[in-house]
Amino acid sequence: METTGRTDQERSAERRRRELLEAADRVVLRDGPGASMNAIAAEAGITKPILYRHFGDKGGLYKALAVRHTDALLDALRAALDAPSARRERVEATLDTYLAAIEANPQVYRFLMHPAEGTSQGEGAFDVGLHSAPLLRRLGEELAEVIEERVDLGPESALLSRVWGHGIVGMMHAAGDWWLGERPCSRAQLVRSLADLLWGRLAAAGDRVGGPGF
Amino acid sequence: METTGRTDQERSAERRRRELLEAADRVVLRDGPGASMNAIAAEAGITKPILYRHFGDKGGLYKALAVRHTDALLDALRAALDAPSARRERVEATLDTYLAAIEANPQVYRFLMHPAEGTSQGEGAFDVGLHSAPLLRRLGEELAEVIEERVDLGPESALLSRVWGHGIVGMMHAAGDWWLGERPCSRAQLVRSLADLLWGRLAAAGDRVGGPGF
DNA sequence: GACTCTCGTTACCGCAAGTAACAAAGTTCT
DNA sequence: AGAACTTTGTTACTTGCGGTAACGAGAGTC
């Protein structure tokens, strides 16, 4: 049959692509985001031009890698986000899921946050807004959706949910990044502290000495 | 006097350094963070080796640039942070100062967030924790200090203030980044939304339909 | 006048991204 | 079977960047 023939080809191409991605993954995890295309090709047992035929350029390869990992993390987060528990517990579960993921393999996490290097050879006009890690954007949008569909925020809910989605994700990310570097406390403590912040403890706390506190 | 001679030399060297930094600034603002050393040298009217004599390597130059801008931004933020007003107003003023700064020239902002590229030629062992933008770390620490010295947080104030410092800075950064890209609302609206989030409105809001809300 | 020290140059090395040109294998059409 | 084509892979090249070595010229110093 002709269909089997074409399907075989396509399946073979896809399998090859997955193999290449896995090799690239190994190299990036070992050598960091600056791994060379030669190194990746060598790890995969082939040479550069094949990589370029499959992924176009280095950006394409890295994007494919990032999508893989981002999808995996997003699945885990969605599960925590959709659990049938009280809001605070769910927030804590989501925070903990994220932190556990970046704790489990920081290399992946690091790679996801610095995917865009670009030879900069291109046009000088760069648009701010596309530069930062796409993972954070996706997370922010995802969280925004969940917030808007679940929480009653009054008339401005569309705007508020998005601001909060991105804001909370950024909070989680920055705190997690700092925590990974310094390890000043347990994961559970960090989760509780962040949830406390989101629960308005900053506003509720009293001033320390004289004058108006922060 | 010998001192005048040496002072003249030192002053000349420092002036030269400042000139070079300003040239580098212009190029980086024009071409983005991937600007080449050749381009920077050309803009300064000289050639590469001089840059290397002054700054060691590209990282040194970029670090010097980053310190300049970071200091400037930090000064502005400290002013907002130290104003003699109520806590909420101060938080809003700080948020607004930061957002106004990144709105005023996004190129600088973008450069500050992606300073560490590294040829990756070096050792494979990379330490997570040093990779992210140093600006965010400095901001987080600064804010943590202010929080701890002004707000009464009970026994765990040392930990809480640092978690919150980095978390709030991350929130501000991520929300600002998204906002810069999409411009979904005015700066004032964004500031209010973020302050509302910090003031516990997420915890206070009711569920939307049936079941436990987010 | 020789000595040195700073500022500057040109010319080069190494390396990585990306590409062109070619080689060998299987597939398909006649 | 044999010619044409697509797939899969190669080697060898170009371009451009970070970084450095080696050299050149002017200004103070003994």
Side-chain angles (χ1 to χ4, degrees), chain A residues 87 90 148 202 207-208 214, chain B residues 87 148 202 208 212 214:
Chain A
R87 192 183 300 166
R90 241 196 270 180
E148 186 172 18
L202 172 63
D207 296 344
R208 190 137 218 178
F214 172 76
Chain B
R87 193 183 299 165
E148 186 172 20
L202 172 63
R208 192 138 218 178
F214 172 76

Side-chain angles (χ1 to χ4, degrees), chain A residues 34 87 90 120 131-132 137 148 150 152 164 166 177-178 182 193 199 202-203 205-208 212 214, chain B residues 34 87 90 120 131-132 137 148 150 152 162 164 166 177-178 182 193 199 202-203 205-208 212 214:
Chain A
R87 192 183 300 166
R90 241 196 270 180
S120 90
H131 69 283
S132 199
R137 288 298 178 89
E148 186 172 18
R150 307 278 179 110
D152 183 12
W164 290 8
H166 289 281
D177 195 55
W178 162 77
E182 306 207 0
S193 304
W199 251 250
L202 172 63
D207 296 344
R208 190 137 218 178
F214 172 76
Chain B
R87 193 183 299 165
R90 241 197 270 181
S120 90
H131 68 282
S132 199
R137 289 297 178 90
E148 186 172 20
R150 306 280 178 110
D152 184 14
R162 297 192 78 205
W164 290 8
H166 290 281
D177 195 55
W178 162 76
E182 305 208 0
S193 304
W199 251 250
L202 172 63
D207 296 345
R208 192 138 218 178
F214 172 76

